[in-house]
Amino acid sequence: MTDTYIAKVPTNIAFLKYWGKSNEREQWPANDSLSMTLDLYTETLVQVWEGPEHCFSFAGLELPPDAPFAQKPLMYLDFLGKNLGFKEKLFIRSHNDFPASCGIASSASGLGALTLSALACWTRSDSFEALEEKGYTRGAIASLARYGSGSACRSFWGGFVRWYRGVSVDQQTVSQIFPATHWALRDRIVILSAERKSLSSTDGHKLAWTSPLFAKRLAVLEERGKRIEDALARKDLSRLGPLLEEEALEMHEVMKQSRPPCVYLGEDTHRFLDTLRKVRQQEHLACYFTLDAGPNVHLIYEEKDSRNVDPLTKGLRYLDVGVGAGPQLSCKQR
Ligand code: DP6
């Protein structure tokens, strides 16, 4: 057995959403996006191995290369090896620190951890510094991860992160705008359905341009991005919250009006959002929602209000997480 390279990469929740690409092959987003890194991780362990193909296991189960869950990571790994000139085959074991059955399909942490651990193994690097010495800066690794899954590039920094759309490969940049310690926000992910979504985000992105609302959305995003960043800078939830909700609902409206429509929100989601609005008004609760490409609701609130949010989620399944500090890399010698 060879040394094991271990990457732990967080997932993130977008405040300004990446929905629609300007170039699918290059994974260029149609607009800037902005996210909060979460304290929720995929850990991936990688070793060199002598088999004819990469071997991938998830949550202790070895997956055949044609298993739906294995196809995307394995195809991406081939792409990475070919483009960077690495020929060694890898033995990969990956797992999430959140339950598989909770409906959080995290391609951001998954593809991020795969990128980091594979590069570390191929270059025999046990830290970000060692990777940088070999030419792989954090920015370069994030750019590579983007080819695996766009949102993965934002997971390479802790705190609050912006992905600038750019207009050429050289202009694709991602950077931290505020560190994790900036503001103790929390994300309570209310799990209303744990089913696998019927349309993957990757397929959903393709439909964005068919929506009559998409061009209108792109025209307002720059201004909304500024306002979100400003509310973050001031740590002003009463300004940030309504912007998060407007943004999430607009993305879902674009989805719904795509041809064919893609509908991720169910009755349960709408019912829960109605309750949230009612309780917020009655109790003056400082708690707002955002949504991903799925039916689950992300409640964003300040840590100090945790107890006030409890009645809203009583009897429901949820994960409650804080702001994440970013990825980690280590190596266990044989
Ligand atoms: C709704 O990053 O999953 O979560 O680049 O095709 O892998 P691909 O898509 P992905 O899209 C994420 C969409 C989103 C919004 C966001 O995270 O910004």
Side-chain angles (χ1 to χ4, degrees), residues 265-277:
L265 306 183
E267 273 302 303
D268 286 0
T269 315
H270 291 295
R271 220 172 298 130
F272 182 79
L273 295 184
D274 284 345
T275 307
L276 166 64
R277 290 181 184 109

Side-chain angles (χ1 to χ4, degrees), residues 17-32:
K17 309 290 181 184
Y18 150 53
W19 194 251
K21 306 179 188 185
S22 65
N23 182 324
E24 260 177 53
R25 213 174 54 102
E26 295 298 330
Q27 285 279 85
W28 295 352
N31 56 273
D32 286 15

